[in-house]
Every structure is written in C-alpha cells, then in structure tokens.
C-alpha cells in the first residue's frame, strides 16, 4: 500500500485495528507523513465544503416569497396598524342621551358577538404560533442580544420589535364577515362596523428620552414616542361624521389621538367609561 | 407536505423536500437573526447553514427527531448566530489590537482543492460528496447514481478519490507548496 492509499484507508476508517495503531505510530515519527495526512484531510474538507456550497446554491434559487416585502416593511418600522374602521353614527356624540344608553347596553351583550375583533385578533395569534417553543425563544433571544453583541444597546432595542410586529395580512379584507350592523338590545341600529386596513402609517421613535409616551400627527403618519416594545399596540380608526378619529390601544389601555393637535402631544389615557366600553367592544 | 413527510423525504436524500422546508420556515428563522442585529443576508446565510447541518444529519441517518423540525432547526440557527457574533466580536478586537492573522497558505490550498473538485466530472463529484458529506452507504450511492451494485460504487469512489488526490497534488507541487 502506498502512503496515499494508507492515508485514505485510515481516514475512511477502513484500516484493521493493528494496522491503524501501526500507522499512528508512524505518524508520530514521520513529519512528512503527517503533512500528507493534513493535505488529505483538507481534500476531504474541500469535498464537504463543495457539497455545502451546492446545497446552499440550490436553496438560494428557491423563491421565498414574502422575504422581500418583509424587508421593505422594516422601513415602515414596527407598525401595528390593525385598524377597525367603524362607521358609527352615534357614539361620537356623547351629548346624546339615547346614544349613550344604546352604546352602554350594546357593549355588555350584543357587541361581544360582533365578529370583527375575532377577525383582527387572529393576526397576532398567528404570529405567535409560528414561533417554535415561544418561551425558549424569548429567553434565548435575550441571551444572544445582551451578552454577545458589541452593538450599542439602543440599536439592539430598535430592531427587537420586529418580533412582535403583526403583519397586515391581505386576507384581512377578504374576511368572511366584513361588516356587521351593531345593534342595540332595543333594536336601534348603531351603525356598521367595517374592518379594513388603515392607510395611516405608524412610526415609533424610541430614542427621545424626554418624550416618553407622546404622539404626533404628520400628514398621514402617526408618530409614537416611547417604548412600545412590550406588547402589541393597535390603532383603531373610526369614520365619523366629524371626520376620522383615531385611538391607540396598548396594554389594555386606550388613548385618544387627536389628528388636529399640532406638534408632539402626551398620550392621555381615556377615562370616559362610556367611550371606553365602546372602544373595548369594538376592538 | 407535513413536517413528518418532509423529514422522511429528507432522510431519503430528497433535495426537493429540503427546498420545501427552506421556504416554509424562511421568515421565522431569518427573523431571529435580523432581530438580533443581523442583516438579511446574514440571516439567510445562517438559515441555509442550519438547514445544511440538518440535511447532513438526517440524510446520514444520524438524526432522531424528538421535537418539531422547526424547533430543531431554530436551535441550530441560534447556535450558529451566537458563534458568528462571537467571531465578529473577536475579529473586531483583533483589528483593534492590530493583530491580523490570515493563514495565506491554507487559504491558497483550499482554493486549489476547490478548483480541482470543480474539474472532476459530475459522477465523481457526486460520488465523493455523497460519501464524504452526506455519509451515504455504498448501496445508497449505487441506487442514487444508478450503479450496478455496491462494488461498482466502491470502485468508483476509490478511483474518483485517487483522481482528485492526483489532481490536487499535481497543482500543489506546481505552485511549490509541497516541500
């Protein structure tokens, strides 16, 4: 057997034990043989790398659909514009007693049956289920981010919310029940609840330390200042006969968004119980 | 295709099944890297690496899947990305310290070897890759490449390896690397 044959047989685990031991003894004494073994190991490594490259090349040619759109979406930042456009006639008139009554009533019973919230809530849920072993994931992600990135903390934080960003699914508009009349127990029709996608863009500004939990409207863009990474947030959009009205829902609380306000305004939690009930039931 | 079906087909060396898998979890896996300060390109690369690891283990019969494929591949992605972040960190430290270590010789050697592999015929390339990377048995190689029997496969593998060895050595000595 030539040295090359011997080395190949050794690397392919084809040498009987006795020969193997003898070969290893020779290796210790012959640097030349050792060198040649090194070369052959590199050749085998090269074959493996070639196969890896082939497989990766193959995968490279697989169209992955959503990937491109997703990266563009990155620019739009962590947006959760899952909006309900509610064409309501009454509820924006808190002055009207009858409307108040009707609204309060509906929120307790009938409104919960309105299928709109279901349709909407499936979005974040789908996101969740896609994640394998969610509890592990989060922990591990943290582990990676914190001790091992040399990046500045803010930068890491900035990218994090993508995990939680719900996708504006196209199927949303095709949802079986798109509109439903909201009917009060006494039979009064409150109006239609229509689901749809808002064209308002939401941007999150995290690095303005003195502007925590503020918002500003700029044309069709809603800027939210502060850290909204802890939970999903939703923007509720209503068409009223006073024009469009927006509300922010975050961590179980609701905030009014006045598009007429100029500049950066602090987010104020809504305390009006009637309005809250309506928002909750619509959502 | 269910995950179970994909897994079974991957185990049988069906590269199409790997493609299906790749597409299926592309977003989920790349998201992990991107949200941990990776670029989209890096994310794709890590995911592909992870799938290649998965492929090799599955196809060589060394993988008993005790979890969902996605969970398994996800954990590979995490490990690979962690390593990559470590590597980057080390690299930037080395640059700061002014220490730049590049093994020119071994890089050159790897390049020559790659060229030689590319110069082999398709059959030889495949025999060697199936044997050394996929870890297929001679029977599987014979089946996959349409050889009459395992002996033919063995002979092929032997001859192809010798051809490659000779090719590498001749080019290597041309460049005066040996001795």
């Amino acid at each position: 057997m030539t040295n090359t044959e011997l080395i190949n047989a050794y690397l392919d685990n084809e040498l009987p034990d006795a020969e193997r031991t003898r070969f290893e003894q020779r290796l210790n004494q012959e640097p030349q043989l050792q060198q040649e073994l090194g070369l052959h190991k590199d050749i085998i490594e090269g074959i493996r790398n070639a196969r890896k490259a082939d497989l990766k090349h193959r995968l490279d040619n697989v169209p992955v659909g959503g990937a491109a759109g997703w990266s563009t979406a990155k620019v739009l930042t962590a947006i959760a514009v899952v909006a309900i456009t509610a064409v309501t006639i009454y509820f924006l008139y808190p002055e009207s007693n009858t409307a108040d009554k009707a609204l309060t009533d509906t929120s307790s019973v009938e409104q919960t049956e309105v299928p709109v919230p279901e349709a909407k809530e499936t979005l974040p849920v789908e996101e969740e289920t896609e994640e394998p072993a969610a509890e592990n994931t989060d922990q591990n992600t943290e582990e990676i981010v914190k001790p091992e990135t040399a990046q500045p903390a803010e930068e890491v934080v900035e990218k994090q919310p993508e995990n939680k960003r719900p996708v504006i699914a196209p199927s949303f508009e095709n949802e079986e029940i798109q509109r439903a009349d909201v009917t009060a127990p006494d039979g009064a029709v409150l109006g239609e609840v229509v689901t749809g996608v808002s064209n308002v863009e939401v941007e999150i500004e995290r690095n303005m330390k003195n502007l925590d939990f503020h918002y500003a409207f700029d044309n069709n863009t809603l800027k939210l200042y502060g850290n909204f990474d802890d939970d999903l947030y939703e923007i509720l959009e209503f068409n009223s006969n006073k024009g469009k009205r927006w509300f922010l829902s975050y961590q179980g609380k609701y905030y009014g968004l006045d598009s007429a306000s100029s500049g950066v305004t602090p987010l104020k939690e809504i305390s009006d119980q009637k309005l809250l009930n309506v928002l909750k039931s619509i959502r | 295709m269910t995950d179970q079906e994909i897994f079974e087909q991957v185990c049988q060396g069906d590269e199409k099944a790997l493609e299906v898998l790749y597409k299926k979890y592309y977003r989920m896996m790349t998201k992990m890297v991107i949200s941990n300060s990776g670029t989209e390109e890096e994310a794709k690369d890590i995911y592909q690496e992870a799938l290649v690891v998965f492929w090799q283990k599955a196809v060589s019969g060394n993988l008993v899947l005790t979890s969902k494929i996605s969970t398994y591949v996800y954990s590979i992605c995490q490990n690979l990305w962690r390593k990559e972040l470590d590597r980057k960190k080390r690299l930037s430290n080395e640059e700061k310290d002014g220490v730049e270590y590049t093994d020119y010789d071994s890089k050159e050697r790897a390049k020559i070897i790659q060229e030689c592999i590319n110069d082999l015929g398709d059959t030889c390339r495949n025999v060697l890759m199936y044997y050394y990377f996929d870890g297929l048995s001679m029977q599987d190689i014979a089946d996959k490449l349409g050889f009459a029997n395992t002996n033919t496969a063995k002979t092929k593998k032997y001859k192809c390896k010798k051809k490659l060895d000779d090719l590498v050595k001749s080019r290597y000595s041309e460049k005066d690397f040996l001795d």
Side-chain angles (χ1 to χ4, degrees), chain A residues 120-138:
Chain A
K120 186 167 56 60
E121 270 163 21
T122 53
L123 294 174
V125 170
E126 271 170 14
E127 278 285 296
E128 288 294 319
T129 50
E130 235 193 348
E131 216 68 65
E135 70 290 358
N136 271 342
T137 306
D138 277 347

Side-chain angles (χ1 to χ4, degrees), chain A residues 8 12 42 54 130 145, chain B residues 28 36 109 125 157 161:
Chain A
N8 273 319
D12 293 350
D42 283 353
D54 276 8
E130 235 193 348
V145 172
Chain B
M28 185 204 292
N36 285 294
R109 187 192 263 194
R125 249 177 85 92
K157 181 237 145 194
K161 180 66 174 38

Side-chain angles (χ1 to χ4, degrees), chain A residues 156-184:
Chain A
V156 176
V157 172
E158 210 171 330
K159 286 167 182 172
Q160 251 181 350
E162 274 166 19
N163 263 338
K164 289 161 187 161
R165 184 183 65 231
V167 170
I168 302 169
S171 62
F172 194 65
E173 286 173 302
N174 303 329
E175 213 48 66
E176 202 182 332
I177 302 152
Q178 261 201 355
R179 49 179 60 209
D181 286 346
V182 181
T183 315

Side-chain angles (χ1 to χ4, degrees), chain B residues 13-176:
Chain B
D14 182 354
E15 290 170 18
K16 277 257 174 282
L18 189 73
E19 291 179 3
V20 172
L21 187 65
Y22 177 68
K23 202 171 170 172
K24 191 169 179 183
Y25 295 115
Y26 185 86
R27 240 194 91 229
M28 185 204 292
M29 303 296 170
T30 51
K31 196 164 78 175
M32 186 277 294
V33 172
I34 292 174
S35 55
N36 285 294
S37 48
T39 65
E40 194 157 342
E41 200 52 40
E42 285 171 325
K44 190 177 84 177
D45 197 55
I46 291 288
Y47 179 37
Q48 289 184 354
E49 282 280 341
L51 274 191
V52 168
V53 172
F54 169 73
W55 168 270
Q56 192 191 24
K57 288 201 191 267
V59 104
S60 61
N62 286 328
L63 181 61
V64 182
L65 210 56
T66 52
S67 61
K68 289 197 292 184
I69 296 183
S70 58
T71 312
Y72 180 72
V73 174
Y74 195 88
S75 64
I76 303 177
C77 281
Q78 283 182 319
N79 286 336
L80 289 176
W81 184 233
R82 208 169 285 165
K83 273 188 201 158
E84 177 60 15
L85 287 174
D86 270 354
R87 194 191 64 85
K88 278 187 179 178
K89 208 164 147 186
R90 264 204 316 275
L91 209 68
S92 68
N93 285 343
E94 275 173 15
E95 273 165 19
K96 269 181 221 152
D97 299 343
V99 184
E100 205 174 313
Y101 174 72
T102 39
D103 190 344
Y104 179 78
D105 266 16
S106 65
K107 265 190 186 164
E108 188 63 24
R109 187 192 263 194
K111 201 179 137 209
I112 292 172
I113 292 171
Q114 278 317 315
E115 285 166 4
C116 295
I117 294 170
N118 290 339
D119 288 350
L120 289 176
D122 276 355
T123 309
C124 268
R125 249 177 85 92
N126 286 334
V127 169
L128 294 178
M129 293 196 303
Y130 291 155
Y131 181 81
Y132 285 106
F133 184 82
D134 295 40
L136 297 189
S137 66
M138 286 301 167
Q139 182 62 56
D140 287 342
I141 293 177
D143 289 348
K144 244 179 130 85
L145 296 173
F147 298 149
N149 51 45
T150 52
N151 279 337
T152 322
K154 258 185 207 166
T155 314
K156 272 277 178 202
K157 181 237 145 194
Y158 177 82
K159 282 186 175 167
C160 291
K161 180 66 174 38
K162 188 167 185 326
K163 190 175 165 189
L164 179 62
D165 288 346
D166 292 345
L167 213 55
V168 171
K169 277 185 185 167
S170 68
R171 296 208 191 157
Y172 213 56
S173 51
E174 259 172 38
K175 299 212 172 193
D176 281 334

Side-chain angles (χ1 to χ4, degrees), chain A residues 17 59 66 76 85 88 110 125 132 155 161 189 198 209 221 223 239 248 279 282:
Chain A
D17 282 352
L59 295 177
L76 296 176
T85 306
T88 53
E110 245 83 342
V125 170
E155 216 178 305
V189 176
S198 168
K209 289 197 178 69
T221 306
K223 268 194 172 179
N239 285 328
L248 167 74
L279 289 170
I282 297 278

Side-chain angles (χ1 to χ4, degrees), chain A residues 85-216:
Chain A
T85 306
V87 185
T88 53
I89 299 162
Y90 296 100
F91 94 89
L92 287 169
Y93 290 95
E95 311 85 43
S96 157
N97 283 334
T98 49
D100 280 352
K101 185 174 177 292
L103 283 169
T104 321
D105 288 342
T106 43
S107 61
S108 56
V109 199
E110 245 83 342
Q111 282 275 6
T112 50
E113 310 256 324
V114 174
V116 174
E118 283 172 36
K120 186 167 56 60
E121 270 163 21
T122 53
L123 294 174
V125 170
E126 271 170 14
E127 278 285 296
E128 288 294 319
T129 50
E130 235 193 348
E131 216 68 65
E135 70 290 358
N136 271 342
T137 306
D138 277 347
Q139 282 167 7
N140 293 340
T141 318
E142 286 297 310
E143 269 171 36
I144 293 178
V145 172
K146 283 174 183 160
E148 299 180 42
T149 41
Q151 314 270 355
E154 293 108 58
E155 216 178 305
V156 176
V157 172
E158 210 171 330
K159 286 167 182 172
Q160 251 181 350
E162 274 166 19
N163 263 338
K164 289 161 187 161
R165 184 183 65 231
V167 170
I168 302 169
S171 62
F172 194 65
E173 286 173 302
N174 303 329
E175 213 48 66
E176 202 182 332
I177 302 152
Q178 261 201 355
R179 49 179 60 209
D181 286 346
V182 181
T183 315
D186 58 1
V189 176
L190 290 180
E192 292 172 313
V193 176
V194 182
T195 59
V197 177
S198 168
N199 56 358
V200 172
E201 285 183 10
V202 182
E203 284 178 8
I204 301 281
E205 185 65 68
R206 288 175 194 79
N207 298 328
M208 311 275 276
K209 289 197 178 69
N210 49 344
L211 288 177
D212 197 27
F213 238 58
H214 282 55
Y215 74 96

